[in-house]
Amino acid sequence: MSESEAGEGRSADVVSVAERLNTVISWVPAELRSDPAASGPLSGVRIGVKDNIEVGGVRSTCGSEYFADRVASADAACVTALKKAGAVLTSTLNLAEFAVGVTSQNSASGGPVNPWAADRVPGGSSGGSGVAVAAGIVDVSLGTDTGGSIRLPAACCGVTGLRPSVGVLDMTGIFPVSADFDTVGPLARSAALVRETFGVLAGADPGPATAGPMRVAVPWPFVTDEVDPAIRDAVLGTADLLRRLGHRIVDMPVPLADTAQDVVYTLIYADLAKTHAERLRDEPSRFQPATRERIRLGLSISDEQLVGALRRRDEFRSALLDVFATVDAVLTPAMPVDVPLLGGGDAVVEQARRMGQLTYPWSLHDGPTLALPVGVHPSGMPIGAQLTAAHGAEATLFALAEQYQEHTDWHLRRPPVRVDG
């Protein structure tokens, strides 16, 4: 640990674990970490933000060689809100380049390491955000989620993460992926701390942490009938506990879910190709290969395909209005497979589709989804589930998740590589 790091209050253990897990891109200097005059619900809470979220005066690289020396001129709106609530911004966190990828291994800073097993991916694109919370480097992190980029790291790292309703949080100061789907949200060990952080970001308490009897749909199979048996059993066990806690579990299909992932891919990749058009044209070799492969998918999308995808998006959202008029929440797995091993070979797009098979459909929905740990796979890796509700119904998710976590300890498990204490 350098003298400057010691002077800024970072312990040698925090720095050592962060370096071992390759989760921090930049440490925030002491004078930029907090608002000395502020106090509030997050006073003293250590927070790291994904490195596509700007912290004024600090590098904002988006995990890319293109932005290696780019310094943010001002705090993102979400960072400003956290500082006003008394939070301490300690670091910017590693991610998949330009937030494109589900493993986070395509970062110009090298891939972050899963603290549960160094040979497993940490999820993406907010991989560093999931790792930092799981390993105790920060108390809370912010990630962004377009197709699953908060929920997949939460599942892979055994923490709790919220994709909020689209449009409820200010995205100013965050590098975009796709404006129709981009969200920013918190990850923490507990749903309670996620709720408190979301309340600060939203400017209002999302609601009481009490759960009266609710109707929870468990659509099985959801999108795929190839869910890993251990994951299936953990999610069904979660449903059984919710039933014993007084909630009604119903088997209700999610209309159009089988095509939702393709719709999201079409819209997101079209936006990515537009955002990065000049980089693709002028200096494509500066992209990480996996990033370049995925962004280029958008170049072949026609106007006709776009119009069709937008129509199907609206049809899916309309169908979900009927679903959430009948049930309060939907419970599904976060991933259909165990946390993958590193080295997925050249099948970048295929791996992304498989890992995101159950998160992408909920990105087509404009309401919130909360990922939380619900078990342990025979491999020893965490198992995550998702709870989804109607637009603006974050309070429903928190009520269910906090009640669930009062009766389970999956969210309290700590990985072998972590900060002591």
Side-chain angles (χ1 to χ4, degrees):
M1 178 176 63
S2 70
E3 290 184 8
S4 62
E5 287 166 345
E8 291 165 14
R10 283 190 291 275
S11 72
D13 192 24
V14 167
V15 174
S16 174
V17 171
E19 290 178 348
R20 182 174 174 184
L21 298 175
N22 196 33
T23 189
V24 170
I25 288 184
S26 296
W27 294 107
V28 177
E31 65 274 14
L32 301 176
R33 295 171 76 190
S34 60
D35 180 346
S39 63
L42 298 180
S43 289
V45 174
R46 303 167 303 149
I47 294 184
V49 300
K50 187 176 181 178
D51 198 54
N52 62 342
I53 300 170
E54 296 184 349
V55 179
V58 179
R59 284 193 311 151
S60 185
T61 74
C62 291
S64 179
E65 180 185 330
Y66 289 103
F67 290 175
D69 299 316
R70 175 176 176 256
V71 175
S73 60
D75 288 341
C78 55
V79 171
T80 298
L82 294 174
K83 288 183 178 179
K84 286 182 177 178
V88 180
L89 271 291
T90 69
S91 50
T92 67
L93 303 171
N94 208 348
L95 71 159
E97 183 179 26
F98 288 119
V100 180
V102 296
T103 69
S104 298
Q105 299 309 291
N106 57 320
S107 170
S109 296
V113 177
N114 193 313
W116 290 98
D119 62 347
R120 303 270 178 165
V121 304
S125 62
S126 309
S129 299
V131 171
V133 169
I137 295 165
V138 297
D139 303 310
V140 176
S141 65
L142 291 190
T144 59
D145 190 313
T146 305
S149 290
I150 288 172
R151 293 163 287 158
L152 291 174
C156 290
C157 296
V159 300
T160 306
L162 174 72
R163 171 187 168 84
S165 299
V166 174
V168 302
L169 299 184
D170 191 336
M171 299 295 291
T172 303
I174 301 175
F175 195 87
V177 175
S178 178
D180 192 37
F181 299 106
D182 288 349
T183 57
V184 59
L187 299 91
R189 286 194 175 280
S190 70
L193 188 49
V194 170
R195 173 177 53 82
E196 290 169 9
T197 307
F198 174 74
V200 165
L201 297 173
D205 189 323
T210 57
M214 296 190 192
R215 289 172 59 90
V216 180
V218 184
W220 209 268
F222 177 71
V223 181
T224 175
D225 58 2
E226 299 173 355
V227 174
D228 180 295
I231 295 171
R232 176 197 63 211
D233 291 347
V235 174
L236 292 178
T238 301
D240 185 60
L241 175 56
L242 292 176
R243 181 185 293 108
R244 286 185 277 117
L245 292 173
H247 305 291
R248 183 176 178 187
I249 306 301
V250 299
D251 182 4
M252 181 178 187
V254 177
L256 308 177
D258 56 336
T259 59
Q261 186 178 25
D262 289 332
V263 176
V264 176
Y265 267 126
T266 298
L267 297 173
I268 289 176
Y269 284 143
D271 285 345
L272 280 170
K274 292 175 184 176
T275 298
H276 297 284
E278 290 186 11
R279 283 179 278 273
L280 282 173
R281 183 191 65 216
D282 298 339
E283 297 181 285
S285 63
R286 296 184 69 187
F287 282 112
Q288 299 291 304
T291 313
R292 185 172 61 246
E293 179 180 350
R294 295 190 69 186
I295 291 175
R296 277 182 168 164
L297 292 173
L299 297 175
S300 61
I301 295 172
S302 67
D303 290 343
E304 183 180 3
Q305 288 173 308
L306 269 180
V307 170
L310 288 168
R311 183 185 66 252
R312 284 180 287 163
R313 177 204 64 188
D314 294 343
E315 290 171 350
F316 184 75
R317 290 180 175 177
S318 178
L320 286 181
L321 291 176
D322 294 334
V323 170
F324 290 113
T326 305
V327 301
D328 298 289
V330 178
L331 172 68
T332 56
M335 288 198 308
V337 294
D338 188 19
V339 180
L341 292 164
L342 292 171
D346 296 328
V348 173
V349 175
E350 182 181 343
Q351 183 185 51
R353 286 187 66 87
R354 184 63 169 146
M355 286 181 65
Q357 199 161 358
L358 304 177
T359 59
Y360 269 81
W362 292 123
S363 291
L364 197 57
H365 174 42
D366 61 359
T369 299
L370 183 75
L372 69 164
V374 296
V376 177
H377 194 274
S379 68
M381 299 304 293
I383 293 174
Q386 300 178 105
L387 286 166
T388 303
H391 186 275
E394 280 82 0
T396 295
L397 303 184
F398 292 133
L400 282 170
E402 288 181 54
Q403 186 184 36
Y404 175 80
Q405 291 184 343
E406 287 173 1
H407 292 83
T408 61
D409 61 1
W410 303 118
H411 63 294
L412 300 178
R413 295 176 67 246
R414 301 180 68 201
V417 181
R418 64 180 187 266
V419 175
D420 291 332

